[in-house]
Amino acid sequence: MDPAQLYLVAIDRDPEEAAQIARATAKRLENKELILLSLTKSLGEYLTNDDRTIRAKAIGFYATVLTALPPSLLSPAQVSVITQFLCDRLEDEAGLKEVCHGLLAIAGMSRFQPEDAQMVARSIFKSCDLLKHPQGSRYLVYQVLDKIMSEQREALKRMGADFATGYVELVTNEKDPRNLMIIFSNLKVIIIEFDIEDCEEQVFDACFCYFPITFKQPPNDPYGITAQDLKDRLRECLQASSKFAVFLFPQLLEKLDSHSANTKKDVLQTITACALAYEKSIIANYWSTLWDAIKYEVLNASDDDLAFEALDAIRAIAKSLSAKLTTVMRTSSLDKYLKAVTKECLTQLRNPTAKQAKPSASILAAVAVASPVSHATTIQAVLPGLSTTYDGLEEIAKQRSMLQAILPLFDATAQIYGVWGDVEHPPSLNNSLEAFKDNLFEIYSRALMGSAKEEVSFRLAGLNGLTKMSRIKNFFADNEIGLIVQFFDEVVLTDEKDEMRDTALESLLVLSRLKPSLIMEITFPAFMAKLPDREEHEKSYDMTLSALAQLSVERPVFQVLLTRIFNKLNIVLNNKSGPGYPFALLSSILYVLRRKHETGKDISTHYTRIVPELITRTVTPLCNGSGGNALSNEAVLEVTGNIVSLIIRAMDVEKQTEVVGELFKIFVAKTESGIITSDKELVAKEFGPLDEDTTPQQASTIIIFASAVAAIRREVTLPVDNLQQFVEKLIARSRSPKSPGHRRALLRLLAVIINKYFTTPEDRAFLTQSTDEMWELVKSADSPEAASSLPALFWIAKALALRNDKLADPIVGRLLELLDNQALGVAVGRGFEVLLGDDPLLSKENFAVVRLLSQQKLFVFCIPKLVEGFKVASPAAKKNYLHALSSIIRNVPSKLVLAEINTLLPLLLQSLDLEDSGIKTASIDTLSVTVTEATGLVSEHISSLITRLLAASSPNEVNTVKVRTAALRCLSIFPSALKIDVVIPYKRQIMRALLKPLDDPKRSVRKEAVDCRARWFALGEPKEDD
Amino acid sequence: MSDIINANPTILNPSDLPTRHSESRKKQSSSTHIADKISRLPNSKSLLYDPFSSSPGDDSAYSSGGSEDDDEEDDDETAEDIDEQEIYDLISTISDPEHPLSLGELAVINLPHIHVTHGQPTPQNPHPMSHVLVEITPTINHCSLATVIGLGVRVRLEQALPPRFRIDVRIREGTHQSTDQVNKQLNDKERVAAACENETLMGVLSNMLATCK
């Protein structure tokens, strides 16, 4: 059998075997064991077969053989013969795909000649009627053309208009996105490189008929072609030749009247692209028609997005007309264009409060950023007119609108001429805005400083104008900006309007980056002087401190801030201040440190300045028998602790070892420490916060100690001989705390130490033993007070659970059992808050061992036991379980709760019947998440849920504002989250029931009720889709 | 889009629209927020919150379980009456049917043109009717959309106010060439009900009301 026959037999049965036969044949040709002529001849009988599939397969064989041949094997004559042969076969519709494969192979041969390429092109144009073929075959035809265009482009160019017209006719009616991608890229080559003078319109039409692209990418599209890909390729064709302008612009503008926002957007983007790509002389012919049409899209925009695109187009035209211009030229097309634009906009701006004023201002800014020349022309054309108009305006509202309308021009100027600190060279053309500098400075300053205090938006316009102008490089002189900074200082310090102060402060922050020295010299002293010397109402210092803190992130400024704040703190404490003001002073230091840390700065270097100072000042006054001062207030101690903790955390092991040694000397060992800067001996003698008989104030300083130790790295060994004894001491103190804050600090410290250091078998055995002992005591207690070890058990369990330690399980298990206990159940329920909540000290940042999923493991451990316990619990105890559940769900991500929602939902529903506002709020919050995330389940329980939520929305002792708000908010999610047929039956009931909350005594609740009712009202109404 | 009746109306700046003062403190900018964080002493419940120290009889120490936004102390006792500002807030955010602007920004709804009267409860009549009158100012005096706007205001108020309110929506005297005719339409129950059956009209209304905050 000859190979062709073998191939035909094999192809249907085993394509791989068939391919093998073809490859073997190719090999034989290569080795001259077979001659090409006889191979071609052997196909003869199959090619005349009546069965089209046999004809196709025979060509398939031939193509596969060709593909397998080395590209340099065939002589020019052979290539030509084969090309001719294949081109003839194009007339047979049956084997189009296979012929194309052959053509692709032959076009890849190194001796493929220019004439061959022309022959292929002509034959395809003549013989192929692509409408008859599926998209896959058409794809191959386009590939062949693409191939010959890249192999023999010059030869095809010599065909003149024949190639372009042939191509265009061939692809008419093509709709397949993958094919269009090839066609567009070929058309682009044709437009740019081929001589299409005689058939421009035809080629243009072939492209433009696809505009606008409305293709929507189908789901699971194997080719991954998006509408945007097609739009981009098509646009590249349209912008490829300036000669298209004559056809393109009129048709585009026609389509701009379309109702579809998508089409409009496409039109505007295409205009922008073409304006930038076409020659200037072409745009000079069209700017007038374009401007007339596009301006409408800005002035009457109903959609910001479209207005934005239209502004882009307006800017692109100015940019195109600016080409090669270096100075303002009165006869240039740019000048004519800008005359038209500025005239129209100035007219609109004569009435600055009218709706079209603001868009007009945006247009002016858009053309002003197109180029330096365009900027100069625009500024010179509009500013005199705007000033005159402004001077004639009498209403403040109009003056305000005018000032606002000019603002975008300042931004445009900053874009062209840069802001302070920019390194790029400014344009050679002088900044035209400079001529108006003094006048603008005066107008905007007067608006800010010289108008009535109530005119907030007018003054804001003044403020914004000054800020924007101050940014422009080389515009204002330093003394002018200095004056502006003084204005802003005054606003921040004295203005009664929040909005004014906030904006002025933001402006100072902007200027602090551009002109830092001015802020240091002017703002800082002014603000410092404003801080009072004794505690007054918080209003007298809060904004000033906040402003100082925000301005002090840079190191030199922060050093100054520290000195001033510590001085102030001295004065304030001497004046017998309450805790509020010292708290604020220290918080501002904490704020700056946090900001510095967040921005990646090393804050450990601030240790020497801050930590000894703060600890000495806190501790020393407690050693002379007095009750100390405001620094020993627990809230202030907490801030001090946070500051110390943040700084120590940033230190390395060596430095930490040193610091922790000193800290233990002060708080534990009662020996002299270098940290204490005055009265060292006195402190060593009198300060014993861990002594049993210590004062409450001394005891509370453990808050600082706990925060500091929590920040120590695990590699650092704590300086105590026997850590177990130390832990026992902490537990003992926690049984008789001086205050809740004291106990919490002790237990946190305990938890930190256990979590980080108690890992040896001996230590773990110690823990087992001591928790067993504690359990015995707790179990038999008859009141929460008697169960004094209960809190410690929770904290120990937490420390262990965080590192996924198995020792936690028995402790937690026992605590869960206690929920049944009449006397302790409530306290235990609350304790779960500690167990699952995030603690700022026991964190990864503080080097605690926090294992992945530890919270989830704990949750999964607790929930089934909780649910089981609830089922069998006495009615009185059920409440405790719900308390515990509430403590848990409030402290874990809703994702975890949702995973168990099937078992939890009944409990959540029951907890809505409890007389406890806190639990109710927590449950409703969880349910709110559930409604969107577990729609199926909620749908099953919808009736009882709605009843309970409606009940929770009516005011009484338990249903506080928070409960009512949460209930209404939850109800308002239903209509959009659940299937319409599930919710619609309740619409009437709800609409009626919600009439009551509409009359709630509280405004905020009424607001929720209104929103909720509006959502239910809209349910099932016909929606109008735009 | 059909022809626009008033293409270039005067608009107010959003920051000049009337607001309730207490609320401006709530939507604070960052620096006020920082100021608050820095200078406000945490109340004993939040920062130093300890679940194990319940004050006796206080069964729910949960109410401020340390979460951040809990410091707004809601005073549950004092009642707040529905006042003009509240009505203004309900309807000033309705969109104009032909501009992407609110009725407040277009000064169609103005605070001084809203009047709320509460009936005084008496032993004979413990739940007296209250009354709200809203006068709207069309942007131009031949505005054919005045009726639609009025209807939007009316529908919004009917949805949002408790049934004890009698709602009166009128065109402000002297601001429209056919004030009486429009007023008659707006306050005729039958006509309003009929209008609400009209699907196209309701479509327009629901777009107008979609922006209500």
Side-chain angles (χ1 to χ4, degrees), chain A residues 818-830 832 866 870 875-887 914 919, chain B residues 62:
Chain A
L818 271 188
L819 285 172
D820 249 342
N821 184 310
Q822 199 74 31
L824 303 178
V826 176
V828 173
R830 292 204 179 97
F832 278 88
L866 205 62
F870 177 80
K878 278 202 188 318
K879 200 170 117 185
N880 299 337
Y881 285 89
L882 296 176
H883 273 223
L885 177 65
S886 182
S887 301
L914 280 187
I919 293 186
Chain B
Y62 289 88

Side-chain angles (χ1 to χ4, degrees), chain A residues 778-968:
Chain A
V778 167
K779 189 168 66 169
S780 52
D782 53 5
S783 74
E785 288 72 35
S788 60
S789 296
L790 186 63
L793 277 177
F794 270 104
W795 279 96
I796 294 172
K798 180 183 181 65
L800 294 168
L802 275 180
R803 63 176 197 217
N804 281 350
D805 196 314
K806 279 273 163 265
L807 284 184
D809 292 356
I811 310 177
V812 177
R814 285 166 173 174
L815 291 170
L816 282 164
E817 282 170 32
L818 271 188
L819 285 172
D820 249 342
N821 184 310
Q822 199 74 31
L824 303 178
V826 176
V828 173
R830 292 204 179 97
F832 278 88
E833 194 139 359
V834 166
L835 196 58
L836 280 123
D838 281 330
D839 188 87
L841 292 192
L842 272 170
S843 64
K844 271 210 159 113
E845 294 74 36
N846 267 345
F847 317 105
V849 191
V850 181
R851 292 263 173 260
L852 217 62
L853 304 180
S854 59
Q855 198 188 34
Q856 184 176 354
K857 281 201 173 135
L858 197 52
F859 180 79
V860 172
F861 180 80
C862 290
I863 290 303
K865 294 194 168 52
L866 205 62
V867 174
E868 282 312 306
F870 177 80
K871 279 186 193 148
V872 297
S874 65
K878 278 202 188 318
K879 200 170 117 185
N880 299 337
Y881 285 89
L882 296 176
H883 273 223
L885 177 65
S886 182
S887 301
I888 293 173
I889 56 176
R890 244 174 313 167
N891 286 294
V892 299
S894 48
K895 208 174 66 200
L896 287 185
V897 181
L898 285 174
E900 297 288 334
I901 196 66
N902 277 321
T903 41
L904 291 182
L905 193 67
L907 272 72
L908 285 174
L909 284 174
Q910 296 209 35
S911 71
L912 290 186
D913 301 335
L914 280 187
E915 302 283 301
D916 185 307
S917 325
I919 293 186
K920 262 187 155 167
T921 319
S923 301
I924 296 175
D925 285 347
T926 306
L927 286 169
S928 298
V929 186
T930 316
V931 175
T932 35
E933 300 291 329
T935 48
L937 186 67
V938 170
S939 305
E940 282 172 36
H941 296 268
I942 185 163
S943 170
S944 62
L945 244 174
I946 285 181
T947 319
R948 284 180 163 92
L949 288 173
L950 284 176
S953 72
S954 76
N956 62 30
E957 284 280 287
V958 179
N959 295 339
T960 57
V961 171
K962 247 178 219 157
V963 174
R964 271 140 51 206
T965 309
L968 289 168

